[in-house]
Amino acid sequence: EEQKECLLGVAQASYHGAKTTALGQPALPRWPGAPRTTGQVAYPVPDSDDPKASEEYLEKFSTFLRDNPQVGIFIFEPQWGSSRLGRTWPPALLREVISRCHAASRFVLCDEVMCGLGRHGHGSLFLSAAWNLRPDAVTFGKSMASGTFPLSGVLVL
């Protein structure tokens, strides 16, 4: 059986580190001529926190899921870092998006490098747990070594 390519779905406005140290500049290059990591496809992000816009966004995301079967893994930042000024996803909307990914047999990774290990202020180690997101894995870092050493981890659930 022919093995199919599995691509990584990243948010249109996301950043997961420099190509030389992490996943690369996913959707938006940080500087002209920046090296790009191949195998990433940018998915749309919500334009607004307005609940009325959620249905429209879910339609857009569902269309993306249907039109991009080669995307097997999605990375979501429950709380965006510098790319979206620390905004959070509307929790119910992100729960539904992740549910649709799972219904389509896609793997979901929550990138909590910025907000994990309690840095989000919701009384749990991970924002994905506080919001009951149920990802397949969670990445974390930043506060793990108090900034003294570049240490991070991944928790497969």
Side-chain angles (χ1 to χ4, degrees):
E1 181 180 321
E2 181 183 335
Q3 187 168 358
K4 296 180 182 177
E5 184 177 38
C6 178
L7 301 180
L8 181 65
V10 296
Q12 285 174 336
S14 64
Y15 178 71
H16 300 284
K19 179 178 181 178
T20 56
T21 59
L23 296 175
Q25 298 76 24
L28 300 174
R30 290 295 208 186
W31 61 88
R36 303 290 290 170
T37 301
T38 60
Q40 298 176 1
V41 179
Y43 63 80
V45 295
D47 295 326
S48 163
D49 294 339
D50 180 359
K52 293 177 184 175
S54 291
E55 285 304 316
E56 182 179 317
Y57 174 75
L58 286 171
E59 277 299 315
K60 189 186 298 187
F61 188 81
S62 292
T63 299
F64 180 89
L65 270 175
R66 184 190 68 239
D67 293 349
N68 291 280
Q70 75 282 17
V71 177
I73 304 167
F74 282 88
I75 296 181
F76 295 102
E77 292 176 279
Q79 179 175 345
W80 287 291
S82 60
S83 61
R84 303 269 308 206
L85 304 173
R87 287 182 49 215
T88 60
W89 276 79
L93 178 60
L94 185 52
R95 250 189 317 279
E96 180 59 28
V97 166
I98 289 173
S99 175
R100 290 180 186 207
C101 287
H102 284 149
S105 300
R106 312 297 173 86
F107 186 90
V108 173
L109 172 74
C110 278
D111 176 351
E112 296 203 35
V113 168
M114 295 288 284
C115 66
L117 299 178
R119 294 182 76 199
H120 51 76
H122 287 272
S124 67
L125 283 178
F126 299 106
L127 195 51
S128 55
W131 288 356
N132 196 29
L133 297 179
R134 301 178 188 260
D136 298 296
V138 177
T139 60
F140 54 93
K142 296 282 185 198
S143 65
M144 197 166 165
S146 302
T148 60
F149 189 77
L151 184 62
S152 59
V154 63
L155 177 64
V156 179
L157 306 169

